[in-house]
């Protein structure tokens, strides 16, 4: 498996605006997302990102999580937080592709309050395309590559 460096530290700390993202997935916070401090716990955001990325793949007919011979596995994630959220906030996860490699895709992801222009969190999410049984990387299919292409963002927007 190839490892690619995450976004530069400066980019991870930059609070992005909505215009940098190509696709949005709504997320309703849940009562149990809140922690003892009264805000959505940091680990819950990873579930939001995983849900948004996989919903995009499923809804676009790119994978069937039960039967596809090839699937995406998470190789790396990271998040920077700018503001807190809490139940009952409605959120939107913005997706952009910052790198589309031979067997991997790196998403630039950001979480926004519904309709807000500034992100409350920003991160990266690296998926590696693998053969389900062997779990060995394979080349991303042309069908998937074509579906991801509209998400590819301009470098200056990703860098903040």
């Amino acid at each position: 498996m190839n490892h690619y460096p995450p976004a530069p530290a400066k980019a991870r700390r930059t609070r992005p605006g909505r215009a940098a993202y190509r696709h949005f997935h709504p997320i309703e916070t849940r009562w149990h997302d809140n922690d003892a401090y009264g805000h959505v716990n940091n680990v819950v955001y990873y579930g939001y990102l995983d849900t948004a990325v996989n919903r995009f793949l499923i809804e676009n007919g790119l994978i069937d999580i039960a039967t596809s011979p090839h699937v995406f596995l998470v190789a790396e994630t990271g998040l920077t937080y700018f503001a807190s959220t809490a139940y009952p906030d409605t959120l939107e996860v913005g997706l952009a592709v910052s790198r589309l490699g031979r067997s991997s895709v790196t998403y630039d992801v950001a979480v926004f309050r519904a309709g807000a222009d500034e992100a409350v969190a920003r991160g990266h999410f690296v998926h590696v395309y693998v053969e389900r049984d062997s779990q060995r990387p394979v080349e991303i299919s042309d069908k998937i590559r074509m579906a991801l292409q509209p998400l590819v963002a301009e470098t200056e927007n990703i860098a903040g």
Side-chain angles (χ1 to χ4, degrees):
M1 177 167 64
N2 294 325
H3 290 281
Y4 301 100
K10 181 179 183 273
R12 290 193 312 269
R13 289 190 302 266
T14 303
R15 189 173 187 173
R18 179 175 290 275
Y21 298 90
R22 306 294 185 258
H23 176 82
F24 291 87
H25 179 76
I27 298 281
E28 293 290 331
T29 59
R30 304 158 301 177
W31 174 253
H32 71 273
D33 291 350
N34 283 1
D35 61 18
Y37 301 110
H39 58 74
V40 172
N41 188 270
N42 61 0
V43 302
V44 175
Y45 284 85
Y46 288 100
Y48 297 162
L49 304 184
D50 210 358
T51 296
V53 169
N54 283 291
R55 278 296 286 269
F56 176 85
L57 296 171
I58 293 165
E59 288 176 354
N60 285 282
L62 304 176
I63 62 166
D64 179 314
I65 59 172
T67 63
S68 291
H70 301 96
V71 295
F72 282 98
L73 298 181
V74 175
E76 181 177 304
T77 60
L79 274 166
T80 300
Y81 304 93
F82 304 107
S84 64
T85 61
Y87 176 82
D89 284 337
T90 299
L91 306 174
E92 296 170 315
V93 178
L95 300 178
V97 170
S98 59
R99 183 181 187 287
L100 185 52
R102 185 190 72 75
S103 63
S104 68
V105 57
T106 302
Y107 295 93
D108 179 35
V109 289
V111 179
F112 297 84
R113 283 192 182 82
D117 186 51
E118 287 190 316
V120 298
R122 179 191 195 172
H124 67 279
F125 191 94
V126 179
H127 255 168
V128 177
Y129 197 53
V130 301
E131 196 273 326
R132 181 189 294 269
D133 293 334
S134 71
Q135 305 249 315
R136 301 295 305 159
V138 295
E139 191 166 340
I140 294 172
S141 71
D142 289 340
K143 177 183 176 182
I144 293 173
R145 190 171 297 283
M146 287 176 49
L148 291 174
Q149 196 60 45
L151 297 181
V152 174
E154 300 169 23
T155 305
E156 59 271 13
N157 283 341
I158 293 298

